């Protein structure tokens, strides 16, 4: 088995374990974006999820730059990832500049962000499409078939994390589950903002501080985020714990 095959197996084992343990879904989706960016021949990854009205929202991204680009697609309802969600089919754009007229606003913003290619695969369970997993490249070029199959498999895992199989036939329950995931993401972003402001951190470092505290105190990430936003838990405690964790890591 090659090193890459080992990494793929490890990624699926990790996600399967997370599902079995009932891990916080937003944390799992963020990890999924990072795993895709590492395993696939792409520069960045984002996930868009639809709310009960069908409007898309960013739920995970491997970088803040891609999060902004995904948010643009969601707000303008334009782009390969939006099209993928609407059609429920993969959308492959090896050279975005060559088809810029199809999504002119998105193509312009993407070019400014250094994105030259986009591949989007649907997040769906049976006929129920809930979002899209989106892969961005900084140079033109198609993904190989192996990477495309892996991307779809990872998207399927993400979908299972959001919807239990038995709930698929119950549209109301599915919508409630998706809305809960979206609401949790809002709280998480608010908590990142609180830590960023109080600790003079960028958003990535603020998220890392939340994850460290949640992991070390056996808390769900969303529960911790809500406590920080509601001031039930002082931001200083989370920030000090993260600093202590970093200092301990340096001393090892």
């Amino acid at each position: 088995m090659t090193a890459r095959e080992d990494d793929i197996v490890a990624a699926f084992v990790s996600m399967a374990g997370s599902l079995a343990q009932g891990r916080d879904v937003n944390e799992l989706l963020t990890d999924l974006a990072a795993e895709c960016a590492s395993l696939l021949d792409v520069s960045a990854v984002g996930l868009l999820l639809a709310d009960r009205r069908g409007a898309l929202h960013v739920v995970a991204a491997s970088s803040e730059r891609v999060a902004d680009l995904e948010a643009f697609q969601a707000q303008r309802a334009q782009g390969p990832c939006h099209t993928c969600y609407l059609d429920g089919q993969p959308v492959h754009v090896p050279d975005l500049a060559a088809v810029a007229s199809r999504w002119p606003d998105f193509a312009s913003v993407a070019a400014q962000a250094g994105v030259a290619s986009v591949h989007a695969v649907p997040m769906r369970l049976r006929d129920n499409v809930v979002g899209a997993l989106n892969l961005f490249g900084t140079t033109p070029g198609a993904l190989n078939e192996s990477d495309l199959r892996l991307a779809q498999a990872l998207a399927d895992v993400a979908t299972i994390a959001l919807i239990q199989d038995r709930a698929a036939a119950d549209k109301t329950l599915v919508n409630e589950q998706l809305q809960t995931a979206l609401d949790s993401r809002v709280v998480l972003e608010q908590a990142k903002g609180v830590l960023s402001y109080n600790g003079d951190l960028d958003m990535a470092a603020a998220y890392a501080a939340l994850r460290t505290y949640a992991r070390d105190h056996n808390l769900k990430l969303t529960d911790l985020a809500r406590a920080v936003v509601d001031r039930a838990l002082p931001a200083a405690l989370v920030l000090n714990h993260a600093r202590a964790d970093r200092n301990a890591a340096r001393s090892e």
Side-chain angles (χ1 to χ4, degrees):
M1 186 177 290
T2 66
R4 183 171 187 268
E5 288 171 338
D6 284 339
D7 290 340
I8 292 172
V9 170
F12 277 103
V13 168
S14 175
M15 286 186 286
S18 296
L19 288 172
Q21 295 165 15
R23 188 172 163 208
D24 187 278
V25 69
N26 282 291
E27 188 175 4
L28 185 146
L29 292 176
T30 299
D31 283 351
L32 175 63
E35 292 282 9
C36 288
S38 174
L39 292 171
L40 304 175
D41 187 20
V42 296
S43 62
V45 178
L47 281 91
L48 291 175
L49 183 67
D51 63 19
R52 59 171 57 95
R53 300 184 308 276
L56 290 172
H57 302 267
V58 184
V59 292
S62 62
S63 72
E64 291 298 324
R65 176 175 58 87
V66 166
D68 291 341
L69 186 57
E70 290 281 60
F72 181 88
Q73 285 197 86
Q75 291 164 3
R76 295 295 185 91
Q78 181 193 115
C81 311
H82 183 264
T83 299
C84 173
Y85 165 70
L86 288 181
D87 295 345
Q89 297 295 326
V91 174
H92 303 305
V93 188
D95 187 352
L96 185 58
V99 293
S101 59
R102 185 176 180 185
W103 307 286
D105 295 339
F106 170 78
S108 175
V109 173
Q112 294 173 26
V115 170
S117 62
V118 184
H119 297 79
V121 296
M123 295 170 61
R124 66 185 175 203
L125 185 61
R126 301 190 182 121
D127 295 328
N128 188 18
V129 182
V130 300
L133 171 65
N134 312 307
L135 315 171
F136 300 91
T138 55
T139 58
L143 283 180
N144 62 51
E145 190 62 31
S146 175
D147 273 1
L148 291 175
R149 288 198 303 269
L150 177 56
Q152 187 62 69
L154 291 167
D156 292 342
V157 171
T159 306
I160 293 170
L162 292 165
I163 305 174
Q164 295 298 320
D165 189 44
R166 286 177 297 177
D170 187 340
K171 188 70 174 180
T172 300
L173 181 55
V174 168
N175 284 336
E176 289 175 355
Q177 290 174 323
L178 295 177
Q179 193 62 46
T180 296
L182 291 170
D183 292 343
S184 297
R185 185 68 189 182
V186 170
V187 173
L188 182 57
E189 291 298 321
Q190 290 173 337
K192 285 164 59 179
V194 170
L195 295 185
S196 176
Y197 176 80
N198 284 277
D200 192 24
L201 304 173
D202 61 29
M203 296 299 274
Y207 179 70
L210 281 169
R211 289 194 62 182
T212 298
Y213 193 94
R215 178 198 65 208
D216 292 347
H217 292 81
N218 197 28
L219 296 172
K220 283 194 172 183
L221 192 61
T222 302
D223 292 340
L224 172 61
R226 187 168 288 108
V228 170
V229 171
D230 293 342
R231 299 184 180 179
L233 180 71
L237 285 180
V238 179
L239 293 168
N240 290 338
H241 183 81
R243 292 189 191 101
D245 186 74
R246 289 196 301 271
N247 291 336
R250 291 193 192 101
S251 64
E252 291 179 354

